[in-house]
Amino acid sequence: MSNRRWLVLLLCLLWAALIFATSSTVITPRAFFAWFRANIFDDPESFRRFQLLWAASWLFIVKGWHVTEFGVLTVLSTMSIDAFTGNRKIRNLLVAAVLCVLYAASDEWHQTFVPQRGGIFSDVLIDSAGIAIASFFLYRIRRPKSLVPVT
């Protein structure tokens, strides 16, 4: 058990570091499209269709990644707290969720120091949506059986 808890904590910290690293970088639209044009697309028409697809879906993809990365962080944080406390109480889930929201807020604050980036409060809310979704599913998995309605 001892090795497992350190492994889960290491995974959680590595995921948090990945979030930090990705929020420390900026990929400009010009560099993004130049890379795709040079490495993926052979003909101009395919590249133009990709640009149109990206224009229509970039917000969903980028903000969907926010939801995903903080959902994963919530699961890993909860697993870490469970491993160190030796139980799977709802309290562990609540503590993990609060810590993840604080991390989301600190990550947006950190982005105010990254050139060409900025901290956006709405991103904290989007990150929190990922935390809430993961928390909901974790709660459903670990809720006390006495709260399950009898049919």
Side-chain angles (χ1 to χ4, degrees):
M1 170 91 170
S2 180
N3 288 339
R4 181 186 175 278
R5 80 174 139 191
W6 290 106
L7 177 62
V8 172
L9 179 61
L10 177 63
L11 287 172
C12 182
L13 294 174
L14 286 173
W15 191 260
L18 175 72
I19 292 170
F20 182 85
T22 58
S23 69
S24 298
T25 60
V26 175
I27 301 172
T28 64
R30 173 175 278 177
F32 177 79
F33 286 119
W35 185 89
F36 272 93
R37 188 180 316 116
N39 296 294
I40 305 295
F41 296 100
D42 293 336
D43 68 290
E45 182 57 27
S46 294
F47 179 68
R48 188 186 71 72
R49 285 194 305 255
F50 169 73
Q51 285 179 305
L52 292 173
L53 174 68
W54 184 257
S57 60
W58 76 270
L59 186 65
F60 178 76
I61 294 168
V62 170
K63 300 311 177 183
W65 175 244
H66 275 261
V67 170
T68 301
E69 67 186 351
F70 277 89
V72 170
L73 184 63
T74 302
V75 170
L76 292 172
S77 298
T78 303
M79 290 173 62
S80 296
I81 294 170
D82 289 348
F84 278 91
T85 61
N87 61 54
R88 293 179 42 157
K89 294 187 176 183
I90 300 298
R91 178 182 64 225
N92 296 353
L93 173 56
L94 292 172
V95 169
V98 168
L99 290 174
C100 288
V101 170
L102 292 173
Y103 188 70
S106 72
D107 186 55
E108 289 303 316
W109 177 68
H110 147 255
Q111 288 180 49
T112 64
F113 300 100
V114 177
Q116 298 181 333
R117 298 236 24 189
I120 303 169
F121 180 72
S122 62
D123 279 354
V124 176
L125 297 176
I126 293 166
D127 298 340
S128 296
I131 295 164
I133 292 166
S135 296
F136 172 77
F137 285 108
L138 287 169
Y139 174 77
R140 297 280 299 174
I141 291 168
R142 62 179 56 205
R143 69 183 174 181
K145 300 301 180 216
S146 62
L147 296 179
V148 177
V150 178
T151 56

